[in-house]
């Protein structure tokens, strides 16, 4: 039974709390909004959107990294100086102005930080100092460099694989030069600039001293000063000095001498001219080429041809990205230096929460998080009402649990997004799509599964792009093996292959065995034993080598033996765990998910396309209940900057599982019509069938269907072409990042262009996409309401409050049109729900659901933060199409109900509302809620079980106006 109230009785926007005098307390965490900052959208622009976000109902802006990154960075994860705010984002005053604007509205900041790695290059003063001084650098302990490399010419050096040819060939073309930059002597190759070991500067500048002595116009003071500096540089202790006093002498004297040289160069035109001439002539001619080669061979950095990078790199990177060097955040000195600015912001009350990027890359995540927790709690104002929130970016496998002993509020929500995606996939339809997909690709063997593809892809990247990491780990294992009579004869090749097979068999990104404390969590033991059994079953690695890894990783003999042996074993465990994470990321996320694509909505970070979806309802209920019990404040994201495609694109693509026949017939039409556009490349057609199939899914998911979307449709052509090239490179089948095939990629781009140019095909795709988009809209608004009311903190990605049809990065970093969103939000006051439901294409329906749900969340903050989670059951003909739950606390309850698999409810042609959609279906309520009157936050109605309803709510009444609903009730506790 429903009683209607005027729609204008409930506004769409949430009130902004008044600012308190003085320093306000940290705002309560209700909802975050991710802002992806960059040179085009810095702190000043972020400040401009704060009033809008406040009206939307956001409590915290969630900022991408703001510390100084590489010039032009569009994401901020390549930090080069963690002690400074990035000047490309704004000034310190811009930062303070943003904080003041937020505080005035009772809002706060959750800041994304990057403790695992830094960007390399001349813009990084710490890495630059390392390149000048090697192991003698005061920052040598910051980076995980293998200084013990015993290959000839590489001891105490760092391999830098950036050249496009062998070093001698590059020198012969005079592409590497030395010269003064900012008063300092540096070597340069194209856009790359490198410092010079201070002891080697005299090799270049001795001729300048001779020139000055020969020129009568030069003053004796200049000659004496340059001679003094060059003599002192020659006398500096070498960078491989082992004596601590001599190392400290170099650290103390070298900067002073370099400053003196800089001063002379700036003050004396004669000295400057002589120095510039000497530098210019140093590498000239055949003799100069020999000098340059010897000069470069003596530097810390060993410039190398990039194609050999995978096997020669001797520093730990972020995944396989040479331009991102890993940090040793486990070192207290490194932690203190790299976190000082962030902790100061916490102390000042500027930052109210932290998101830790790539926690799995850290050597000891638990110890790091404990150190971080202690640092922020130590500087916070006394008497804070809530614990400072810390979230970790962590990809959890299907049955993996975040560690209870980590002092955090939870993860960033990849696993929640995966569980929600599964809710909207029809199990039978997906099985049919997969059957036809296998036939399309000619896969006849049933043992070809996603799990097998993932195993093979992980092994592939371990042998190629991560080969240097495997070799380094293999050397560490070999040191242990040499001390064990049972394993001393094992060849290193066998040890490396055992490492590859075991990591490829792991079902999680990494384990968290702690050799220093001897802790092996039961989950780690179970996963390692399962992976070891799988590796042994495959018999691709020697059993005795796997046996050694078994003993090492499970610490079976760790407490025995000498200290040196225990240290060597601990190093193996750490390196294994820091290698398995990148293997999973590059092998699964960036390879297997682009090789197995029957339904792209399931090919997502934190998801798995072979995970069963038949039990999606029960699994989501279980996950929500566990999340409320263990991580009630964790972030609940739908789209992130790491998503393969945005939540709205996935919502549409999932509809294909409800119409497999219609989808496959449409696909067959398009492929036949575009057969002429596939071109032969080296005897095979391009694009290949897998990439072609994924292109059409992407088109259906991202095609703009609003009447005024002409410009967006024109832009889509370039976006899909860029996506297709990235997808093909990630799949590593016909082209790749390491070895791109320009002919294949040209054919791929031409196919996409031809598709858009074909009027009939593009019109057919547009019509099909429009029908799917209507059903996808109901999935999207259902997800939005679930995100706001299920356990956790809703995290809205920039632009996601309206339709946001973004693809993989960098596409998902495109700026959002905040002016349009602000106008749309203002237009919702007093709006009739039926008008929004009738025209879902303009995106205001999603914005309306989000704004009203966030308002309810603010009004009932404790209910949605602490309330128990209670699954609800539906009865009737359409019961399988409803998903509902209660949030309960003493004196209040909230009821969320959303549809799923809405095609059967008529969603391709109309909204799934009223009796036509729901018939006799009803929600069964607990006994004590069987007679209460509920307030519907979306429709503005009141609802109660009708006479003879037996404590159930008729969905035809509850969902009479909108396809989703949120109801609340308060009563005496």
């Amino acid at each position: 039974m429903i009683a209607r109230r005027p729609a204008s009785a409930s506004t769409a926007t949430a009130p902004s709390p008044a600012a308190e005098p003085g320093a306000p307390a940290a705002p309560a965490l209700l909802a975050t909004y991710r802002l992806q900052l960059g040179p085009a959208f810095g702190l000043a622009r972020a400040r401009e959107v704060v009033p809008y976000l406040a009206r939307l109902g956001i409590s915290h802006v969630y900022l991408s990294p703001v510390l100084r990154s590489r010039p032009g960075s569009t994401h901020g994860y390549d930090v080069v100086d963690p002690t400074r705010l990035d000047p490309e984002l704004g000034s310190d005053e811009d930062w303070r102005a943003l904080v003041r604007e937020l505080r005035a509205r009772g809002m706060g900041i959750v800041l994304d930080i990057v403790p695992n790695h830094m960007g390399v290059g001349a813009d990084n003063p710490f890495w630059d100092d390392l390149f000048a001084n090697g192991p003698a650098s005061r920052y040598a302990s910051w980076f995980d460099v293998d200084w013990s490399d015993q290959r000839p010419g590489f001891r105490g050096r760092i391999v830098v694989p950036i050249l496009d040819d062998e070093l001698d060939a590059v020198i012969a073309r005079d592409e590497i030069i030395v010269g003064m930059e900012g008063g300092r002597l540096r070597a340069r190759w194209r856009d790359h600039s490198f410092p010079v070991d201070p002891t080697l500067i005299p090799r270049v500048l001795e001729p300048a001293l001779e020139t000055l002595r020969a020129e009568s116009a030069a003053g004796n003071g200049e000659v004496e000063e340059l001679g003094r500096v060059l003599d002192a540089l020659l006398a500096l202790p070498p960078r491989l000095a082992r004596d601590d006093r001599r190392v400290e002498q170099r650290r103390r004297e070298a900067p002073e001498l370099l400053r003196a040289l800089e001063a002379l160069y700036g003050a004396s035109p004669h000295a400057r001219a002589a120095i510039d001439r000497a530098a210019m002539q140093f590498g000239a001619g055949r003799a100069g080429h020999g000098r340059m080669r010897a000069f470069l061979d003596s530097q810390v950095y060993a410039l190398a041809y990039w194609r050999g990078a995978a096997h020669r790199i001797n520093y730990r990177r972020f995944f396989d990205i040479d331009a991102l060097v890993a940090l040793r955040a486990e070192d207290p000195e490194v932690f203190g230096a790299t976190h000082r600015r962030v902790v100061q912001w916490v102390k000042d009350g500027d930052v109210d929460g932290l998101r830790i990027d790539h926690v799995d890359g850290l050597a000891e995540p638990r110890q790091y998080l404990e150190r971080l927790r202690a640092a922020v709690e130590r500087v916070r104002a006394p008497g804070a009402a809530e614990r400072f929130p810390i979230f970790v970016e962590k990809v959890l496998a299907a049955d993996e649990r975040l560690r209870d002993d980590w002092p955090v509020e939870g993860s960033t929500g990849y696993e929640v997004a995966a569980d929600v995606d599964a809710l909207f996939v029809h199990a039978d339809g997906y099985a049919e799509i997969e059957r036809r997909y296998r036939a399309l690709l000619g896969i006849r063997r049933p043992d070809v599964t996603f799990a097998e593809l993932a195993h093979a892809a992980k092994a592939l990247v371990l042998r190629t792009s991560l080969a240097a990491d495997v070799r380094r780990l293999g050397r560490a294992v070999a040191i242990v093996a040499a001390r064990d009579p049972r394993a001393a004869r094992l060849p290193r090749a066998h040890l490396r292959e055992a490492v590859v097979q075991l990591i490829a068999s792991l079902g999680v990104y990494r384990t968290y065995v702690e050799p220093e404390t001897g802790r092996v969590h039961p989950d780690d033991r179970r996963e390692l034993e399962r992976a070891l059994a799988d590796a042994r079953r495959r018999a691709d690695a020697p059993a005795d080598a796997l046996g050694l890894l078994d003993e090492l990783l499970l610490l079976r003999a760790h407490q025995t033996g000498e200290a040196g042996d225990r240290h060597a074993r601990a190093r193996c465990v750490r390196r294994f765990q820091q290698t398995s994470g990148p293997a999973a990321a590059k092998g699964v996320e960036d390879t297997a998910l682009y090789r197995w694509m029957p339904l792209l909505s399931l090919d997502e970070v934190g998801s798995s396309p072979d995970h069963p979806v038949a039990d999606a309802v029960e699994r989501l209920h279980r996950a929500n209940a566990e999340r409320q019990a263990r991580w009630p404040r964790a972030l609940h994201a739908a789209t992130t900057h790491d998503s393969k495609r945005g939540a709205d694109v996935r919502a549409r693509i999932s509809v294909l599982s409800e119409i497999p026949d219609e989808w496959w017939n449409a696909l067959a039409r398009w492929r036949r019509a575009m057969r002429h556009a596939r071109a032969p490349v080296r005897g095979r057609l391009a694009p290949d069938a897998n990439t072609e199939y994924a292109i059409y899914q992407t088109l259906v998911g991202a095609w703009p269907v609003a009447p005024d979307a002409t410009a967006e449709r024109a832009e889509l052509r370039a976006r899909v072409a860029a996506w297709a090239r990235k997808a093909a490179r990630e799949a590593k089948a016909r082209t790749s990042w390491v070895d791109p095939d320009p002919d294949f990629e040209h054919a791929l781009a031409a196919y996409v262009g031809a598709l858009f140019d074909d009027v009939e095909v593009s019109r057919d795709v547009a019509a099909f996409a429009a029908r799917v988009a209507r059903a996808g809209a109901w999935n999207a608004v259902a997800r939005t309401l679930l995100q706001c009311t299920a356990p956790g903190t809703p995290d809205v990605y920039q632009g996601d409050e309206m339709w946001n049809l973004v693809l993989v990065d960098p596409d998902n970093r495109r700026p959002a049109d905040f002016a349009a969103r602000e106008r749309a939000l203002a237009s919702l006051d007093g709006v009739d729900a039926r008008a929004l439901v009738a025209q879902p294409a303009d995106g205001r329906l999603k914005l309306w659901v989000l704004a009203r749900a966030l308002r309810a969340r603010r009004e009932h903050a404790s209910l949605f933060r602490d309330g128990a989670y209670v699954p609800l059951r539906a009865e009737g003909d359409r019961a399988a199409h409803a998903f509902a739950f209660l949030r309960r606390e003493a004196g209040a309850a909230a009821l969320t109900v959303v549809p799923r698999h809405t095609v059967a409810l008529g969603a391709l042609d109309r909204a799934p509302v009223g009796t036509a959609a729901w018939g006799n279906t009803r929600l069964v309520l607990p006994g004590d809620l069987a007679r209460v009157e509920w307030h519907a936050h979306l429709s503005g109605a009141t609802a109660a079980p009708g006479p003879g309803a037996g404590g159930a709510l008729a969905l035809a009444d509850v969902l009479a106006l909108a396809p989703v609903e949120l109801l609340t009730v308060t009563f005496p506790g």
Side-chain angles (χ1 to χ4, degrees):
M1 179 180 292
I2 299 291
R4 301 288 172 207
R5 297 191 303 176
S8 59
S10 177
T11 61
T13 56
S16 298
E20 297 290 335
L29 185 67
L30 299 175
T32 64
Y33 190 99
R34 170 74 175 200
L35 288 177
Q36 195 68 38
L37 303 177
F41 191 93
L43 297 171
R45 291 287 305 279
R47 181 190 174 194
E48 292 173 2
V49 305
V50 168
Y52 159 71
L53 297 179
R55 288 192 292 275
L56 182 61
I58 298 299
S59 68
H60 290 68
V61 293
Y62 164 21
L63 299 179
S64 61
V66 300
L67 297 172
R68 187 181 177 215
S69 57
R70 299 178 79 182
S73 175
T74 60
H75 49 77
Y77 290 94
D78 46 2
V79 173
V80 294
D81 189 349
T83 69
R84 296 177 54 198
L85 182 70
D86 192 334
E88 291 193 350
L89 301 182
S91 64
D92 287 335
E93 178 52 37
D94 290 325
W95 170 265
R96 288 189 290 269
L98 173 61
V99 171
R100 287 195 299 268
E101 186 75 30
L102 290 164
R103 286 291 181 259
R105 287 168 170 77
M107 299 169 68
I109 290 175
V110 172
L111 182 62
D112 198 343
I113 65 172
V114 191
N116 174 71
H117 56 271
M118 298 180 77
V120 303
D123 300 295
N124 184 331
F126 316 101
W127 184 249
D128 208 52
D129 189 89
L130 185 76
F131 267 24
N133 297 294
S137 168
R138 64 181 67 255
Y139 305 111
S141 64
W142 282 40
F143 307 105
D144 193 355
V145 178
D146 185 6
W147 298 112
S148 64
D149 194 330
Q150 297 302 311
R151 289 174 296 173
F154 286 95
R155 181 170 172 267
R157 304 186 70 198
I158 302 173
V159 178
V160 184
I162 60 168
L163 302 180
D164 60 357
D165 204 340
E166 297 296 342
L167 179 57
D168 283 333
V170 173
I171 292 174
R173 295 196 295 265
D174 295 319
E175 292 182 7
I176 299 179
I177 61 174
V178 293
M180 301 297 283
E181 297 178 17
R184 301 292 174 96
L185 187 68
R186 300 184 69 87
R188 175 173 287 278
W189 180 73
R190 296 183 180 174
D191 293 334
H192 300 272
S193 175
F194 305 94
V196 170
D197 183 327
T199 65
L200 300 175
I201 292 175
R203 290 197 195 181
V204 179
L205 300 190
E206 282 288 356
L209 182 60
E210 296 172 6
T211 298
L212 287 175
R213 285 172 175 161
E215 291 180 352
S216 59
N220 290 334
E222 294 162 323
V223 174
E224 291 176 359
E225 177 63 3
L226 183 58
R228 180 190 71 81
V229 170
L230 296 184
D231 287 344
L233 287 171
L234 276 174
L236 284 173
R239 64 175 185 261
L240 295 181
R242 294 182 176 275
D243 183 87
D244 290 344
R245 289 175 299 177
R246 301 197 72 205
V247 170
E248 184 54 38
Q249 177 191 348
R250 178 183 172 112
R251 290 176 177 176
R252 182 180 64 255
E253 294 178 2
E256 296 176 0
L257 294 170
L258 293 176
R259 284 192 292 270
L261 180 60
E262 181 180 349
L264 176 63
Y265 183 81
S268 169
H270 298 294
R272 181 163 57 253
I275 288 171
D276 286 343
R277 190 180 310 119
M280 181 178 63
Q281 295 174 350
F282 178 74
R286 180 173 298 180
H289 294 164
R291 287 194 299 270
M292 182 67 75
R293 176 64 199 241
F295 177 75
L296 292 174
D297 283 346
S298 302
Q299 301 296 335
V300 173
Y301 42 89
L303 302 183
Y305 185 24
W306 68 268
R307 284 190 177 276
H311 297 275
R312 300 172 69 182
I313 284 279
N314 60 345
Y315 60 91
R316 188 167 58 85
R317 302 159 290 173
F318 172 68
F319 296 164
D320 60 352
I321 303 173
D322 300 338
L324 296 177
V325 61
L327 278 169
R328 297 184 61 252
E330 67 274 16
D331 185 317
E333 180 182 342
V334 177
F335 176 92
T338 56
H339 289 70
R340 188 169 294 117
R341 185 65 182 263
V342 171
V343 172
Q344 183 64 48
W345 278 332
V346 174
K347 181 179 181 180
D348 294 341
D350 294 355
V351 169
D352 308 285
L354 294 173
R355 181 261 197 193
I356 312 306
D357 180 65
H358 190 47
V359 72
D360 277 349
L362 301 170
E364 304 285 0
R366 182 179 64 84
Q367 287 92 326
Y368 166 84
L369 293 167
E370 288 177 346
R371 182 175 287 127
L372 179 64
R373 170 64 64 192
V376 298
E377 297 297 348
R378 187 164 51 244
V379 300
R380 288 185 79 203
E386 293 186 336
R387 189 169 82 157
F388 184 87
I390 298 174
F391 308 100
V392 291
E393 187 223 7
K394 163 66 185 166
V395 180
L396 292 162
D399 300 317
E400 186 181 8
R401 291 160 60 101
L402 193 66
R403 292 299 157 85
D404 287 312
D405 58 354
W406 286 7
V408 299
E409 274 48 61
S411 74
T412 53
Y414 295 134
E415 69 283 0
V416 188
D419 285 339
V420 175
D421 280 333
L423 188 70
F424 301 108
V425 176
H426 193 286
D428 293 340
Y430 178 62
E432 178 62 17
I433 286 176
E434 184 180 318
R435 184 186 69 78
R436 297 191 188 191
Y437 174 76
R438 285 174 170 272
L440 174 70
L441 300 189
I443 301 173
R444 296 178 176 83
R445 290 169 44 200
D447 60 333
V448 177
T449 63
F450 177 75
E452 287 303 307
L453 284 177
H455 184 281
K458 288 170 72 175
L460 171 68
V461 299
L462 285 164
R463 294 190 179 105
T464 53
S465 61
L466 298 177
D469 303 83
V470 172
R471 285 180 176 274
R472 192 173 178 189
L473 175 55
R475 288 197 299 271
V477 175
I479 291 172
V480 175
R483 299 172 178 175
D484 186 340
R486 298 167 298 173
R489 294 180 177 272
L490 284 172
R492 283 195 181 182
H494 288 188
L495 296 175
R496 289 196 298 269
E497 185 59 24
V499 165
V500 168
Q501 291 300 323
L502 182 54
I503 290 178
S505 292
L506 278 177
V508 296
Y509 271 56
R510 66 163 283 173
T511 53
Y512 303 94
V513 175
E514 298 181 8
E516 284 78 8
T517 64
R519 295 174 58 167
V520 183
H521 192 279
D523 290 354
D524 289 334
R525 184 176 301 279
R526 183 166 51 251
E527 179 56 35
L528 283 168
E529 288 177 345
R530 187 208 60 76
L532 283 159
D534 182 69
R536 289 181 175 118
R537 177 184 61 80
R538 294 174 184 275
D540 291 324
D544 45 5
L546 288 171
L548 177 62
L549 292 179
D550 183 332
E551 182 179 290
L552 271 173
L553 299 172
L554 289 169
L555 309 184
R556 299 194 191 279
H558 186 71
Q559 301 305 321
T560 62
E562 298 178 355
D565 185 53
R566 292 198 299 273
H567 178 73
R569 288 171 177 266
R571 184 167 58 247
C572 289
V573 174
R574 284 195 300 271
R575 294 220 178 281
F576 179 89
Q577 295 181 145
Q578 288 182 297
T579 304
S580 69
K586 302 306 295 182
V588 180
E589 289 180 37
D590 293 346
T591 305
L593 288 180
Y594 288 94
R595 292 182 171 186
W596 186 259
M597 300 186 284
L599 195 69
L600 286 176
S601 57
L602 296 181
D603 280 22
E604 192 51 77
V605 179
S607 184
S608 177
D610 64 347
H611 200 71
V613 295
D615 66 340
V617 170
E618 293 76 14
R619 190 165 82 240
L620 183 55
H621 279 317
R622 287 194 304 270
N624 282 341
E626 181 177 353
R627 194 171 178 85
Q628 179 56 34
R630 300 177 67 234
W631 309 107
R633 300 174 74 199
L635 294 184
H636 184 160
T639 301
T640 75
H641 62 280
D642 287 319
S643 296
K644 301 297 182 189
R645 52 203 57 82
D648 291 339
V649 176
R650 303 197 305 272
R652 283 192 192 177
I653 292 175
S654 290
V655 175
L656 302 181
S657 69
E658 301 181 62
I659 52 170
D661 291 337
E662 189 173 342
W663 159 237
W664 220 261
N665 290 337
L667 179 70
R669 283 197 311 274
W670 303 334
R671 295 187 74 228
R672 280 196 304 271
M674 296 304 300
R675 189 181 311 159
H676 68 281
R678 297 177 73 192
V681 176
R682 276 172 282 286
R684 293 186 292 169
L685 288 176
D688 56 277
N690 198 34
T691 305
E692 183 187 31
Y693 175 76
I695 287 172
Y696 286 111
Q697 284 191 77
T698 301
L699 288 173
V700 170
W703 198 279
V705 298
D708 58 348
T710 303
E712 294 176 50
R713 286 191 285 271
E715 187 182 48
L716 184 64
R717 175 181 185 144
R719 293 173 56 214
V720 171
W723 176 87
R725 185 182 74 159
K726 178 167 184 172
R729 286 186 174 186
E730 298 285 27
K732 304 172 185 64
R734 301 283 297 275
T735 186
S736 68
W737 297 105
V738 173
D739 193 13
D741 183 336
D743 294 336
F744 175 84
E745 293 181 1
H746 175 76
L748 187 58
Y751 181 88
V752 173
L755 193 161
F756 275 84
D757 289 339
D758 192 304
V759 175
E760 290 187 10
V761 172
S762 58
R763 185 183 296 129
D764 193 10
V765 170
F768 184 87
R771 295 188 72 225
V772 170
R774 178 170 285 269
W778 317 133
N779 287 348
V781 295
R783 169 193 277 281
T784 299
L785 186 57
L786 292 177
Q787 186 183 12
C788 292
T789 59
T793 304
D795 169 34
V796 183
Y797 190 71
Q798 65 177 25
D800 252 11
E801 63 270 37
M802 296 179 72
W803 302 141
N804 194 27
L805 303 175
V806 295
L807 305 176
V808 72
D809 68 280
D811 190 70
N812 60 19
R813 293 199 295 269
R814 294 183 307 142
D817 187 344
F818 285 106
R821 281 160 172 76
E822 189 160 7
R823 291 192 300 269
L825 183 63
S827 75
L828 294 179
D829 285 332
V831 72
D832 188 328
R834 287 168 292 197
L836 298 175
V837 173
Q839 297 292 334
D842 69 2
R844 291 194 305 154
L845 173 63
K846 186 181 180 188
L847 179 65
W848 177 72
V849 170
L850 177 67
R852 294 208 172 193
L854 291 181
R855 179 188 177 106
R857 189 175 181 89
R858 184 178 293 276
E859 293 172 348
H860 302 274
S862 66
L863 173 62
F864 286 107
R865 183 188 60 209
D866 303 320
Y869 180 88
V870 182
L872 289 183
R873 177 174 55 87
E875 296 178 339
D877 296 341
R878 308 290 171 80
H881 297 274
F883 182 85
F885 57 84
L886 285 170
R887 303 297 305 279
R888 296 203 59 170
E889 67 175 357
L895 188 159
T896 295
V897 56
V898 301
R900 60 190 293 264
H901 303 166
T902 59
V903 171
L905 305 179
L908 290 175
D909 303 310
R910 54 180 168 78
V913 297
T915 304
W918 293 104
N920 64 356
T921 308
R922 54 190 195 163
L923 281 181
V924 180
L925 301 177
D928 63 329
L929 299 179
R931 294 292 180 265
V932 301
E933 185 175 83
W934 298 84
H935 168 57
H937 285 261
L938 301 183
S939 66
T942 57
L953 286 173
L955 287 186
D957 289 340
V958 174
L959 303 179
L961 299 182
V964 300
E965 190 56 274
L966 169 62
L967 305 104
T968 59
V969 63
T970 57
F971 45 82

